[in-house]
Amino acid sequence: DAGVIQSPRHEVTEMGQEVTLRCKPISGHNSLFWYRQTMMRGLELLIYFNNNVPIDDSGMPEDRFSAKMPNASFSTLKIQPSEPRDSAVYFCASSRDRYEQYFGPGTRLTVT
Amino acid sequence: QKEVEQDPGPLSVPEGAIVSLNCTYSNSAFQYFMWYRQYSRKGPELLMYTYSSGNKEDGRFTAQVDKSSKYISLFIRDSQPSDSATYLCASRYYMDSNYQLIWGAGTKLIIKP
């Protein structure tokens, strides 16, 4: 199995620009999670989906963040407009029935 | 107070030493406990998980849970430089028809050759 795939691996953008992060979960997994990791705040859950339906988005910091999962094999996390404080590593993880989570390699986002 | 507390370290030990990594949690409803290992610039990877109090062993790694004191431990025997990484504990519980996964801050471990 290829594991969780994320793209891009690195993203550098200017403040105010739209950023879209992409994730392909492991085939057969029905739960998908978006996390943000920073030195200051550690690993934070932003949102998770079960069977393509958003279940808990209480971790989404503000309306500038949105996430979609149009089908079982693809999800996006969008930030519009981006701000320097959004700079972090964003991880996508998937699991089967919300048990052990398997993480992707992450997208390192830098907003200047 | 965070629901899962973990000393961020760094913890530096010589190669071959026994390493003890620890977490405490506050919620008695936590049912399921996991240890993840994260190498620099990589995603966390599941190392071990356990449900009940007691020990679970996998090679050089032993996970221990004491639900009476709400204490989680990971022991690494014969530590190797390749074990240098950040170790995150996580606890899961069921609330409002959903599973919640609570993460510790992670402990950075350095094994000196």
Side-chain angles (χ1 to χ4, degrees):
Chain A
D1 200 323
V4 176
I5 298 172
Q6 290 187 249
S7 66
R9 294 293 308 275
H10 302 273
E11 177 81 32
V12 180
T13 190
E14 291 184 348
M15 182 174 63
Q17 297 297 306
E18 178 179 294
V19 174
T20 299
L21 312 181
R22 297 173 177 79
C23 175
K24 177 178 169 55
I26 293 173
S27 177
H29 283 189
N30 58 354
S31 294
L32 183 140
F33 307 81
W34 282 102
Y35 287 92
R36 177 172 68 178
Q37 188 175 43
T38 61
M39 289 292 291
M40 289 296 294
R41 300 174 68 91
L43 196 62
E44 302 174 278
L45 177 66
L46 300 177
I47 185 171
Y48 85 88
F49 295 83
N50 192 48
N51 294 322
N52 310 339
V53 176
I55 301 299
D56 183 358
D57 64 354
S58 60
M60 297 286 262
E62 47 199 278
D63 292 344
R64 297 185 297 107
F65 287 69
S66 62
K68 293 182 179 179
M69 191 165 186
N71 57 61
S73 58
F74 184 67
S75 177
T76 59
L77 178 69
K78 187 175 292 187
I79 308 172
Q80 166 63 15
S82 58
E83 296 182 3
R85 60 192 168 122
D86 301 331
S87 297
V89 181
Y90 290 81
F91 288 105
C92 174
S94 70
S95 72
R96 191 192 312 274
D97 296 326
R98 290 168 285 179
Y99 284 93
E100 299 80 37
Q101 296 180 18
Y102 294 85
F103 283 73
T107 295
R108 186 171 296 272
L109 174 65
T110 302
V111 183
T112 60
Chain B
Q1 182 189 6
K2 294 188 68 174
E3 289 190 277
V4 176
E5 297 280 354
Q6 187 175 12
D7 188 333
L11 176 64
S12 182
V13 301
E15 182 177 355
I18 295 175
V19 175
S20 174
L21 301 167
N22 307 295
C23 289
T24 59
Y25 63 96
S26 57
N27 192 331
S28 298
F30 288 178
Q31 306 164 323
Y32 202 72
F33 305 93
M34 288 159 274
W35 283 97
Y36 280 78
R37 177 176 62 194
Q38 185 176 20
Y39 290 115
S40 180
R41 296 185 174 268
K42 300 286 187 183
E45 58 176 329
L46 180 65
L47 201 55
M48 295 186 71
Y49 64 91
T50 184
Y51 178 80
S52 56
S53 281
N55 294 350
K56 181 176 181 179
E57 192 172 314
D58 184 1
R60 297 185 295 111
F61 298 87
T62 299
Q64 185 177 83
V65 177
D66 183 344
K67 289 190 175 182
S68 63
S69 58
K70 299 186 182 66
Y71 204 77
I72 313 162
S73 298
L74 178 70
F75 299 98
I76 307 174
R77 291 183 300 280
D78 188 24
S79 56
Q80 305 293 312
S82 59
D83 295 327
S84 298
T86 296
Y87 290 80
L88 300 106
C89 63
S91 300
R92 193 189 77 171
Y93 68 105
Y94 191 74
M95 186 179 76
D96 296 335
S97 303
N98 288 306
Y99 288 102
Q100 304 288 333
L101 193 63
I102 309 298
W103 293 86
T107 299
K108 183 174 183 177
L109 175 66
I110 300 169
I111 308 296
K112 298 176 294 184

